[in-house]
Amino acid sequence: MEEKRLTSVSGYVFILIGLVCFGLAPFTLRYAPILSGFLAILGIFILKGIIVIYPNEGIAATFFGDYVGTIKETGLRWVNPLYSKTRISLRARNLNGQQLKVNDKMGNPIEIAAVVVWQVADTAKALFDVDNYANFVQIQSEAAVRFLASSHAYDNMEDEHENVTLRDNTGQINKFLEQELDERLGQAGVRVMEARISHLAYAPEIAGAMLQRQQATAVVSARKQIVEGAVGMVEMALARLAEKDVVQLDEERKAAMVSNLLVVLCGEKAVSPVVNAGTLYN
Protein backbone atom coordinates (compact mmCIF):
# COMPACT_ATOMS: atom_id res chain seq x y z
CA MET A 1 0.00 0.00 0.00
CA GLU A 2 1.43 3.35 -1.09
CA GLU A 3 0.14 6.76 -0.11
CA LYS A 4 -1.72 8.76 -2.76
CA ARG A 5 -2.47 12.44 -2.61
CA LEU A 6 -6.16 13.27 -2.84
CA THR A 7 -6.96 16.79 -3.99
CA SER A 8 -9.77 18.70 -2.38
CA VAL A 9 -11.45 22.03 -3.04
CA SER A 10 -12.13 24.98 -0.79
CA GLY A 11 -15.09 24.41 1.49
CA TYR A 12 -16.25 28.02 1.70
CA VAL A 13 -17.98 27.93 -1.70
CA PHE A 14 -19.79 24.69 -0.87
CA ILE A 15 -20.94 26.08 2.47
CA LEU A 16 -22.50 28.94 0.58
CA ILE A 17 -24.13 26.57 -1.92
CA GLY A 18 -25.51 24.39 0.88
CA LEU A 19 -26.95 27.36 2.72
CA VAL A 20 -28.58 28.60 -0.48
CA CYS A 21 -30.19 25.19 -0.98
CA PHE A 22 -31.56 25.24 2.58
CA GLY A 23 -32.79 28.80 2.09
CA LEU A 24 -34.65 28.02 -1.14
CA ALA A 25 -36.27 24.83 0.11
CA PRO A 26 -39.03 26.54 2.25
CA PHE A 27 -39.96 28.95 -0.56
CA THR A 28 -40.45 26.14 -3.09
CA LEU A 29 -42.29 23.84 -0.71
CA ARG A 30 -45.72 25.33 -1.52
CA TYR A 31 -45.37 25.40 -5.31
CA ALA A 32 -42.95 22.52 -5.97
CA PRO A 33 -42.67 20.12 -3.02
CA ILE A 34 -40.52 17.69 -4.96
CA LEU A 35 -38.03 20.44 -5.78
CA SER A 36 -38.08 21.58 -2.17
CA GLY A 37 -37.22 18.10 -0.94
CA PHE A 38 -34.49 17.79 -3.53
CA LEU A 39 -32.94 21.10 -2.44
CA ALA A 40 -32.99 20.04 1.21
CA ILE A 41 -31.36 16.70 0.42
CA LEU A 42 -28.83 18.43 -1.82
CA GLY A 43 -27.96 20.89 0.96
CA ILE A 44 -27.43 18.06 3.45
CA PHE A 45 -25.31 16.16 0.92
CA ILE A 46 -23.14 19.20 0.21
CA LEU A 47 -22.61 20.16 3.86
CA LYS A 48 -21.73 16.59 4.76
CA GLY A 49 -18.63 16.87 2.58
CA ILE A 50 -17.25 19.82 4.56
CA ILE A 51 -14.19 18.92 6.65
CA VAL A 52 -11.65 20.90 8.69
CA ILE A 53 -8.01 19.82 8.46
CA TYR A 54 -5.53 21.12 11.03
CA PRO A 55 -1.78 21.67 10.45
CA ASN A 56 0.30 18.47 10.43
CA GLU A 57 -2.79 16.35 10.05
CA GLY A 58 -4.00 14.11 7.26
CA ILE A 59 -7.31 12.53 6.37
CA ALA A 60 -7.29 9.16 4.61
CA ALA A 61 -10.37 8.63 2.43
CA THR A 62 -11.87 5.31 1.39
CA PHE A 63 -14.76 4.66 -0.98
CA PHE A 64 -16.66 1.48 -0.16
CA GLY A 65 -13.50 -0.17 1.15
CA ASP A 66 -11.12 1.08 -1.54
CA TYR A 67 -8.37 3.48 -0.54
CA VAL A 68 -8.80 6.69 -2.54
CA GLY A 69 -6.06 8.94 -1.17
CA THR A 70 -4.95 11.19 1.65
CA ILE A 71 -5.82 14.86 2.00
CA LYS A 72 -3.12 17.03 3.56
CA GLU A 73 -4.28 20.54 2.61
CA THR A 74 -5.12 22.48 5.75
CA GLY A 75 -8.16 24.60 6.39
CA LEU A 76 -11.80 24.24 5.40
CA ARG A 77 -12.03 21.70 2.58
CA TRP A 78 -14.74 19.78 0.70
CA VAL A 79 -14.54 16.20 -0.54
CA ASN A 80 -17.01 13.65 -1.79
CA PRO A 81 -19.52 13.08 1.04
CA LEU A 82 -19.62 9.37 0.22
CA TYR A 83 -15.97 8.95 1.26
CA SER A 84 -15.21 7.39 4.63
CA LYS A 85 -12.63 9.59 6.31
CA THR A 86 -10.01 8.69 8.94
CA ARG A 87 -7.92 11.34 10.64
CA ILE A 88 -4.24 10.67 11.33
CA SER A 89 -1.67 12.90 13.00
CA LEU A 90 1.53 13.74 11.13
CA ARG A 91 3.20 15.43 14.12
CA ALA A 92 6.44 14.21 15.68
CA ARG A 93 5.95 11.96 18.69
CA ASN A 94 8.16 10.80 21.56
CA LEU A 95 8.38 7.22 22.72
CA ASN A 96 10.02 6.97 26.13
CA GLY A 97 10.82 3.29 26.27
CA GLN A 98 10.68 1.41 29.53
CA GLN A 99 13.78 -0.09 31.10
CA LEU A 100 14.47 -3.55 29.73
CA LYS A 101 16.62 -6.23 31.34
CA VAL A 102 18.58 -8.09 28.68
CA ASN A 103 21.88 -9.91 28.30
CA ASP A 104 24.66 -8.20 26.39
CA LYS A 105 26.96 -9.93 23.92
CA MET A 106 29.05 -11.40 26.76
CA GLY A 107 25.99 -12.69 28.62
CA ASN A 108 26.00 -10.06 31.38
CA PRO A 109 22.51 -8.89 32.46
CA ILE A 110 22.10 -5.16 31.88
CA GLU A 111 19.32 -2.58 32.05
CA ILE A 112 18.74 -0.48 28.94
CA ALA A 113 16.13 1.98 27.69
CA ALA A 114 15.82 4.26 24.67
CA VAL A 115 13.97 7.40 23.58
CA VAL A 116 12.61 7.40 20.02
CA VAL A 117 11.31 10.44 18.12
CA TRP A 118 9.09 9.35 15.22
CA GLN A 119 6.34 10.54 12.91
CA VAL A 120 4.02 9.05 10.31
CA ALA A 121 5.46 9.51 6.81
CA ASP A 122 3.10 7.28 4.82
CA THR A 123 -0.52 7.37 5.99
CA ALA A 124 -1.60 4.46 3.78
CA LYS A 125 0.95 2.07 5.28
CA ALA A 126 0.27 3.29 8.82
CA LEU A 127 -3.49 2.73 8.54
CA PHE A 128 -3.80 -0.28 6.25
CA ASP A 129 -0.54 -2.29 6.44
CA VAL A 130 -0.48 -2.71 10.24
CA ASP A 131 -3.27 -3.13 12.75
CA ASN A 132 -2.26 -0.37 15.20
CA TYR A 133 0.72 1.68 14.10
CA ALA A 134 1.33 3.30 17.54
CA ASN A 135 1.41 -0.08 19.27
CA PHE A 136 3.53 -1.43 16.42
CA VAL A 137 6.10 1.32 17.00
CA GLN A 138 6.29 0.58 20.72
CA ILE A 139 6.74 -3.18 20.35
CA GLN A 140 9.23 -2.96 17.49
CA SER A 141 11.25 -0.32 19.37
CA GLU A 142 11.61 -2.66 22.34
CA ALA A 143 12.62 -5.48 20.00
CA ALA A 144 15.23 -3.27 18.33
CA VAL A 145 16.71 -2.23 21.70
CA ARG A 146 16.91 -5.88 22.80
CA PHE A 147 18.61 -6.85 19.54
CA LEU A 148 21.09 -3.98 19.85
CA ALA A 149 21.97 -4.84 23.45
CA SER A 150 22.52 -8.52 22.67
CA SER A 151 24.73 -7.67 19.68
CA HIS A 152 27.28 -5.55 21.59
CA ALA A 153 29.18 -5.86 24.83
CA TYR A 154 28.56 -3.44 27.70
CA ASP A 155 32.27 -2.54 27.73
CA ASN A 156 35.56 -4.05 26.62
CA MET A 157 36.63 -5.38 30.01
CA GLU A 158 35.90 -8.96 28.98
CA ASP A 159 36.35 -8.63 25.23
CA GLU A 160 39.37 -6.40 24.56
CA HIS A 161 38.93 -6.82 20.80
CA GLU A 162 35.42 -5.32 20.82
CA ASN A 163 35.58 -2.05 18.88
CA VAL A 164 32.06 -0.79 19.59
CA THR A 165 30.61 -1.10 23.10
CA LEU A 166 27.37 0.14 24.58
CA ARG A 167 29.05 2.32 27.19
CA ASP A 168 32.00 3.79 25.30
CA ASN A 169 30.57 4.33 21.80
CA THR A 170 27.19 5.95 22.36
CA GLY A 171 27.30 7.88 19.06
CA GLN A 172 27.72 4.77 16.93
CA ILE A 173 25.26 2.81 19.07
CA ASN A 174 22.59 5.49 18.51
CA LYS A 175 23.21 5.33 14.74
CA PHE A 176 22.88 1.54 14.78
CA LEU A 177 19.63 1.90 16.72
CA GLU A 178 18.23 4.40 14.20
CA GLN A 179 19.11 2.10 11.29
CA GLU A 180 17.51 -0.90 12.99
CA LEU A 181 14.34 1.06 13.75
CA ASP A 182 14.13 2.41 10.18
CA GLU A 183 14.18 -1.14 8.84
CA ARG A 184 11.58 -2.38 11.30
CA LEU A 185 9.19 0.59 11.16
CA GLY A 186 9.41 1.27 7.42
CA GLN A 187 6.64 -1.23 6.70
CA ALA A 188 4.32 0.81 8.95
CA GLY A 189 5.02 4.07 7.12
CA VAL A 190 6.87 5.51 10.13
CA ARG A 191 10.01 7.62 9.87
CA VAL A 192 12.46 7.64 12.78
CA MET A 193 13.73 11.16 13.38
CA GLU A 194 16.01 10.37 16.32
CA ALA A 195 16.80 7.44 18.61
CA ARG A 196 19.04 7.57 21.66
CA ILE A 197 19.92 5.33 24.58
CA SER A 198 18.46 7.02 27.67
CA HIS A 199 19.45 4.50 30.35
CA LEU A 200 22.29 1.99 30.53
CA ALA A 201 23.50 0.15 33.61
CA TYR A 202 24.38 -3.28 34.90
CA ALA A 203 21.51 -5.23 36.43
CA PRO A 204 21.32 -4.90 40.25
CA GLU A 205 22.33 -8.53 40.86
CA ILE A 206 25.76 -7.99 39.30
CA ALA A 207 26.21 -4.23 39.71
CA GLY A 208 28.21 -4.61 42.96
CA ALA A 209 30.54 -7.23 41.51
CA MET A 210 31.09 -5.21 38.34
CA LEU A 211 31.83 -2.09 40.40
CA GLN A 212 34.49 -3.98 42.36
CA ARG A 213 35.93 -5.24 39.11
CA GLN A 214 36.10 -1.74 37.68
CA GLN A 215 37.73 -0.47 40.86
CA ALA A 216 40.28 -3.29 40.77
CA THR A 217 41.04 -2.53 37.13
CA ALA A 218 41.51 1.14 37.97
CA VAL A 219 43.82 0.30 40.90
CA VAL A 220 45.92 -2.04 38.76
CA SER A 221 46.20 0.58 36.04
CA ALA A 222 47.21 3.25 38.56
CA ARG A 223 49.80 1.03 40.24
CA LYS A 224 51.22 0.08 36.85
CA GLN A 225 51.72 3.73 36.02
CA ILE A 226 53.28 4.41 39.42
CA VAL A 227 55.73 1.52 39.04
CA GLU A 228 56.71 2.64 35.54
CA GLY A 229 57.35 6.15 36.84
CA ALA A 230 59.31 4.86 39.84
CA VAL A 231 61.54 2.69 37.67
CA GLY A 232 62.25 5.66 35.45
CA MET A 233 63.18 7.82 38.44
CA VAL A 234 65.50 5.10 39.82
CA GLU A 235 67.21 4.79 36.44
CA MET A 236 67.63 8.56 36.31
CA ALA A 237 69.04 8.67 39.86
CA LEU A 238 71.61 5.96 39.17
CA ALA A 239 72.59 7.61 35.89
CA ARG A 240 73.04 11.01 37.53
CA LEU A 241 75.13 9.54 40.38
CA ALA A 242 77.39 7.80 37.90
CA GLU A 243 77.61 10.91 35.72
CA LYS A 244 78.59 13.21 38.59
CA ASP A 245 80.87 10.58 40.12
CA VAL A 246 79.34 11.30 43.52
CA VAL A 247 79.85 7.82 44.90
CA GLN A 248 81.02 4.48 43.64
CA LEU A 249 78.43 1.78 44.20
CA ASP A 250 78.92 -1.91 43.80
CA GLU A 251 76.11 -4.16 42.61
CA GLU A 252 74.90 -4.99 46.13
CA ARG A 253 74.70 -1.30 47.14
CA LYS A 254 72.92 -0.50 43.87
CA ALA A 255 70.38 -3.21 44.65
CA ALA A 256 69.83 -1.81 48.15
CA MET A 257 69.45 1.71 46.77
CA VAL A 258 66.97 0.55 44.13
CA SER A 259 64.95 -1.31 46.75
CA ASN A 260 64.81 1.72 49.06
CA LEU A 261 63.82 4.09 46.25
CA LEU A 262 61.07 1.78 45.00
CA VAL A 263 59.66 1.45 48.52
CA VAL A 264 59.62 5.23 48.90
CA LEU A 265 58.17 5.95 45.46
CA CYS A 266 55.62 3.13 45.27
CA GLY A 267 54.38 3.19 48.85
CA GLU A 268 50.82 4.38 49.46
CA LYS A 269 51.74 6.02 52.78
CA ALA A 270 54.54 8.35 53.84
CA VAL A 271 57.74 6.44 54.55
CA SER A 272 59.56 6.87 57.86
CA PRO A 273 63.33 6.68 57.17
CA VAL A 274 65.61 4.56 59.34
CA VAL A 275 69.11 5.96 59.80
CA ASN A 276 71.91 3.39 59.58
CA ALA A 277 74.84 4.56 61.72
CA GLY A 278 77.08 1.77 60.53
CA THR A 279 77.75 0.39 57.07
CA LEU A 280 75.76 -1.78 54.77
CA TYR A 281 77.66 -4.86 55.99
CA ASN A 282 77.50 -4.16 59.77
Side-chain angles (χ1 to χ4, degrees), residues 13-233:
V13 176
F14 285 89
I15 285 182
L16 181 60
I17 296 175
L19 293 177
V20 170
C21 292
F22 279 119
L24 293 176
F27 293 102
T28 59
L29 179 61
R30 182 176 180 181
Y31 304 101
I34 298 178
L35 178 61
S36 176
F38 174 77
L39 290 175
I41 295 174
L42 180 62
I44 295 174
F45 182 80
I46 291 175
L47 293 180
K48 187 180 179 182
I50 300 296
I51 56 175
V52 178
I53 305 178
Y54 300 97
N56 288 324
E57 185 182 56
I59 293 182
T62 58
F63 185 69
F64 294 106
D66 293 331
Y67 171 67
V68 180
T70 301
I71 309 168
K72 293 185 178 180
E73 294 91 347
T74 59
L76 189 66
R77 313 300 297 178
W78 186 88
V79 294
N80 189 338
L82 297 178
Y83 288 165
S84 297
K85 297 173 281 292
T86 303
R87 293 183 180 271
I88 182 170
S89 175
L90 305 178
R91 301 180 181 92
R93 310 186 192 185
N94 276 324
L95 174 62
N96 189 11
Q98 61 180 350
Q99 294 183 12
L100 306 175
K101 182 180 290 187
V102 298
N103 293 332
D104 67 353
K105 183 180 178 180
M106 306 307 298
N108 299 317
I110 63 174
E111 292 181 347
I112 188 171
V115 173
V116 182
V117 182
W118 61 278
Q119 67 177 170
V120 175
D122 191 309
T123 57
K125 290 182 178 180
L127 291 175
F128 306 116
D129 283 356
V130 294
D131 184 48
N132 187 322
Y133 65 91
N135 190 37
F136 185 85
V137 170
Q138 180 179 358
I139 295 176
Q140 290 299 322
S141 297
E142 293 182 0
V145 172
R146 290 182 181 275
F147 174 78
L148 181 73
S150 61
S151 301
H152 298 82
Y154 182 88
D155 52 28
N156 53 8
M157 293 180 62
E158 293 186 2
D159 189 359
E160 297 181 354
H161 302 288
E162 183 70 22
N163 296 324
V164 180
T165 61
L166 298 174
R167 187 184 68 175
D168 299 330
N169 305 96
T170 55
Q172 296 183 18
I173 291 297
N174 292 333
K175 290 182 179 179
F176 292 157
L177 180 59
E178 290 181 9
Q179 294 173 1
E180 184 68 21
L181 287 173
D182 280 330
E183 294 179 0
R184 292 173 177 265
L185 301 180
Q187 59 180 319
V190 172
R191 181 173 69 91
V192 178
M193 304 174 65
E194 184 182 9
R196 292 184 176 276
I197 300 298
S198 60
H199 174 78
L200 181 65
Y202 281 114
E205 55 266 25
I206 66 167
M210 289 300 178
L211 179 60
Q212 293 180 355
R213 181 177 181 179
Q214 292 176 358
Q215 291 175 344
T217 303
V219 170
V220 171
S221 178
R223 300 303 297 177
K224 179 180 179 181
Q225 187 173 1
I226 291 174
V227 170
E228 290 179 355
V231 171
M233 295 178 67

